[in-house]
Amino acid sequence: MSTPLEHWRDELGFIPHLPGAPEAINADSFDEDVLESPLPVLVEFWAARCGPCRRLAPEMAAVAEQFAGRVRVFTLNVDEELEAARRFGVLSIPATLLFVCGEEKGRILGLTDRDALVQLLRPHLNEPAE
């Protein structure tokens, strides 16, 4: 199943920043963009060499699109930001972490789907279930 953003994905699975799409993040801006965010934040720790990470990219894009303005979605390349991965105890990828008010509130290890990501987010949104 493809998403409207599927055609933007390059051969490595990276989805460049587009409105409503996951944004690439690095250790320098992590605290400001993730831990200080007033919105819930999903961060996928990934690497270009990781097949499951590439398969997770469209699911992350779909969640970013569905919850645009209510949730921030980031990707962090562990090959470029190994210290950030270590900081949060990420030992395998893909790993998707949920942060709310600067605290980790959930974690999904391995390939997952949109429904599981939405279930992880739902309790932290101040809105009725769809």
Side-chain angles (χ1 to χ4, degrees), residues 29-52:
S29 62
F30 196 96
D31 286 0
E32 181 180 351
D33 287 337
V34 176
L35 301 181
E36 296 172 15
S37 174
L39 300 174
V41 181
L42 277 179
V43 180
E44 178 198 359
F45 290 77
W46 74 287
R49 60 185 156 71
C50 168

Side-chain angles (χ1 to χ4, degrees), residues 113-128:
D113 63 18
R114 184 177 330 167
D115 291 337
L117 294 169
V118 170
Q119 286 179 357
L120 181 66
L121 280 170
R122 269 294 167 221
H124 304 283
L125 300 174
N126 295 324
E127 59 189 41

Side-chain angles (χ1 to χ4, degrees), residues 30-106:
F30 196 96
D31 286 0
E32 181 180 351
D33 287 337
V34 176
L35 301 181
E36 296 172 15
S37 174
L39 300 174
V41 181
L42 277 179
V43 180
E44 178 198 359
F45 290 77
W46 74 287
R49 60 185 156 71
C50 168
C53 298
R54 291 191 308 270
R55 291 195 309 272
L56 182 56
E59 301 298 323
M60 295 294 288
V63 170
E65 203 168 39
Q66 179 179 350
F67 293 100
R70 299 176 286 163
V71 172
R72 296 193 74 189
V73 180
F74 292 102
T75 61
L76 186 137
N77 185 328
V78 298
D79 287 339
E80 297 172 0
E81 301 291 341
L82 187 56
E83 286 305 313
R86 286 184 181 145
R87 176 181 176 191
F88 293 100
V90 173
L91 301 176
S92 64
I93 54 174
T96 306
L97 280 59
L98 171 65
F99 293 90
V100 178
C101 297
E103 293 183 31
E104 183 181 335
K105 296 293 186 176

Side-chain angles (χ1 to χ4, degrees), residues 5 8 15-24 60-62 64-65 68 72-74:
L5 296 175
W8 290 101
I15 299 174
H17 175 62
L18 298 169
E23 300 174 59
M60 295 294 288
E65 203 168 39
R72 296 193 74 189
V73 180
F74 292 102

